[in-house]
Amino acid sequence: MNGHPAVEPTGPTAALPAPRVLALRGATQAASNDPHEIVRATTELLRELVTRNALDPADLISIWFTASPDLTAAYPARAAREMGFVDVPLMCASEIDVPGGSPRAVRVLIHTHSARPRAEAAHVYLHGAASLRPDLVTGAPAGSAEA
């Protein structure tokens, strides 16, 4: 294309897969509609996602948060800012009010650069939110007895 022959990479980087965008999902349940509880639950969720997926904050592209309609005391994104994600674009929205929907639920969608295959993504569902995707619940959070 540019008049130069294609060169295949060699050396240690030749075997590394090319980074691409990976989407990670998670959800948790806050104990109550209290600012401290919303931030605490969201912080726990974000820490688990970062740990289980070995995320480098420099690779984060954006994070979307939603909260069930009964959580109005704080933005879940506040937890990310307090964790130091100050240059990552964050967005909060309210979930639609579906009859029988999960109460006090915080959901997250993280977009990140990653060489990890999608099949190896560790999605995290904690507390009462584990019932949302029992097929994706793989283990208890660090220091917790919960599945």
Side-chain angles (χ1 to χ4, degrees):
M1 289 184 233
N2 60 9
H4 300 286
V7 177
E8 292 295 320
T10 59
T13 61
L16 295 177
R20 59 175 187 245
V21 175
L22 180 66
L24 300 167
R25 286 278 292 124
T28 191
Q29 193 172 49
S32 64
N33 185 30
D34 173 80
H36 173 75
E37 288 300 321
I38 294 168
V39 171
R40 185 205 57 74
T42 306
T43 300
E44 177 188 28
L45 176 61
L46 290 172
R47 284 191 178 134
E48 285 297 318
L49 281 159
V50 167
T51 300
R52 292 186 195 184
N53 290 284
L55 296 179
D56 180 344
D59 290 334
L60 297 177
I61 297 167
S62 63
I63 306 175
W64 273 85
F65 298 91
T66 64
S68 54
D70 54 352
L71 291 182
T72 58
Y75 292 110
R78 181 172 140 196
R81 292 290 183 235
E82 290 179 5
M83 289 175 67
F85 299 151
V86 296
D87 62 349
V88 178
L90 307 175
M91 180 66 71
C92 290
S94 180
E95 288 283 335
I96 59 174
D97 195 7
V98 175
S102 295
R104 300 177 322 281
V106 174
R107 293 173 174 88
V108 64
L109 174 63
I110 296 176
H111 295 102
T112 186
H113 294 287
S114 177
R116 179 183 297 240
R118 187 178 358 194
E120 293 179 16
H123 306 286
V124 176
Y125 291 82
L126 304 175
H127 307 292
S131 66
L132 296 171
R133 290 296 306 267
D135 58 316
L136 296 178
V137 176
T138 58
S144 170
E146 180 174 297

